[in-house]
Amino acid sequence: SLSFALPVTPAHFSNSLSPMFILRSPHLTRHLRFSRNNRVASVVSSAAAVRQDATLWTPAPLSIVESAAESLFHISIDISNSPDLAASYTRPGQYLQLRVPDVERPSFLAIASPPSFAAASGAFEFLVKSIAGSTAEILCGLKRGETVELSSVMGNGFDVDQIDPPEEYSTVLIFATGSGISPIRSLIETGFGADRRSDVRLYYGARNLKRMAYQEKFKEWESSGVKVVPVLSQPDDGWRGETGYVQAAFARAAKQVSDPSATGVVLCGQRQMAEEITAMLVADGVSNDKMLKNF
């Protein structure tokens, strides 16, 4: 995973080769009785290969590869020759698969730039975490002009309609950790009426300021109506802001939730954080239906 965890769920299987089809096949069932573990691994691997082969890949050149923070890279990909691909990106929180040369296994990446940027500039931007031995590390080592391959845009993204209109959902609490800030950036820069809500807070967690991307955008986000609350788990000396984990920082907040029925939530990043925040807010009376999750 490069920008945040995106598990390959059964929904990603094609209709012609679903998990239920595999289990119901009499021929496969006989073999599973003799060597269940090996056969399951073989069948799932074959299904994955079929799924990958069925993917429509679009070649596109890298236009920017630069450091965004420690172990994080800002990647921009030129899709100006693929207007249909750009047009398919309609909601913050959507993602795609990316393949690099000579590496069979693709990576899932959340798109960090807003849909309007793709339409106007003919580019997708990503925040990529470089992990040793991964496709991400290879991608971050490529140069401007080198070509990668992109799948079609996937996922439903953040359904902001669930927390609209702003007059009825005056509070929106946003939580992100690490590279999970990527689709949150897209959400904020797409706009969701933050300036028409009385309380919009972004709790953004990282190990320290060197690991925190998009600091240069905080003023812009604040001017759009989003209060940014950086939370550092291992801050350097001199840090006077919030410390520890995001969920603990939120629990310490003097003003958590004033009106649960008028509160929307957006979560992206580390799963434990998201689960603990969800439990905390549900206990306070916030509806689970008003929580937009991407982790």
Side-chain angles (χ1 to χ4, degrees):
S1 165
L2 303 187
S3 52
F4 58 90
L6 278 170
V8 181
T9 64
H12 293 120
F13 283 77
S14 66
N15 291 334
S16 62
L17 192 54
S18 69
M20 290 305 294
F21 170 87
I22 293 168
L23 293 178
R24 286 173 180 169
S25 170
H27 175 71
L28 289 174
T29 301
R30 286 196 298 271
H31 285 281
L32 285 170
R33 292 188 185 123
F34 292 102
S35 183
R36 181 177 181 82
N37 291 338
N38 289 341
R39 282 298 176 185
V40 169
S42 175
V43 170
V44 172
S45 176
S46 297
V50 171
R51 181 177 67 251
Q52 182 171 320
D53 290 343
T55 301
L56 177 63
W57 296 100
T58 300
L62 296 169
S63 53
I64 297 174
V65 182
E66 62 185 18
S67 176
E70 189 176 291
S71 77
L72 294 171
F73 285 79
H74 172 61
I75 305 287
S76 182
I77 300 177
D78 183 356
I79 55 167
S80 56
N81 290 329
S82 307
D84 290 345
L85 181 59
S88 69
Y89 177 36
T90 59
R91 266 188 186 174
Q94 290 182 299
Y95 58 96
L96 48 69
Q97 295 181 77
L98 179 146
R99 224 165 41 175
V100 299
D102 303 320
V103 177
E104 182 178 350
R105 184 177 181 181
S107 292
F108 289 84
L109 293 175
I111 304 172
S113 48
S116 59
F117 182 84
S121 303
F124 284 155
E125 293 185 340
F126 304 91
L127 181 66
V128 181
K129 183 175 182 178
S130 179
I131 301 172
S134 70
T135 303
E137 183 181 38
I138 298 172
L139 171 63
C140 296
L142 296 179
K143 305 297 182 183
R144 178 178 178 178
E146 293 193 74
T147 298
V148 295
E149 293 180 315
L150 305 178
S151 74
S152 58
V153 175
M154 309 165 74
N156 296 322
F158 294 120
D159 186 3
V160 179
D161 290 344
Q162 294 184 47
I163 55 173
D164 267 345
E167 294 74 22
E168 293 184 16
Y169 297 94
S170 56
T171 297
V172 175
L173 304 171
I174 308 171
F175 302 90
T177 55
S179 56
I181 194 64
S182 178
I184 299 301
R185 174 201 158 190
S186 177
L187 174 68
I188 294 173
E189 296 182 8
T190 296
F192 59 100
D195 58 343
R196 291 182 286 145
R197 305 177 196 260
S198 59
D199 181 17
V200 179
R201 282 172 274 164
L202 165 61
Y203 289 85
Y204 175 17
R207 181 177 299 177
N208 51 50
L209 286 177
K210 293 179 181 179
R211 294 287 187 100
M212 183 166 277
Y214 297 143
Q215 294 179 55
E216 74 281 0
K217 292 182 172 288
F218 288 176
K219 287 185 179 180
E220 174 189 333
W221 294 354
E222 294 255 6
S223 68
S224 72
V226 179
K227 179 182 179 182
V228 181
V229 184
V231 184
L232 305 182
S233 60
Q234 298 178 23
D236 297 327
D237 294 340
W239 174 250
R240 295 292 179 265
E242 291 288 346
T243 60
Y245 294 118
V246 164
Q247 52 270 45
F250 175 66
R252 291 193 299 266
K255 182 183 179 184
Q256 292 180 343
V257 178
S258 56
D259 183 358
S261 65
T263 299
V265 182
V266 184
L267 296 147
C268 190
Q270 207 269 343
R271 183 175 293 273
Q272 182 178 348
M273 176 277 291
E275 290 175 348
E276 291 184 14
I277 289 288
T278 297
M280 194 183 308
L281 290 171
V282 167
D284 284 342
V286 178
S287 172
N288 212 351
D289 292 339
K290 303 304 176 183
M291 299 187 188
L292 314 182
K293 302 178 182 181
N294 204 335
F295 59 91

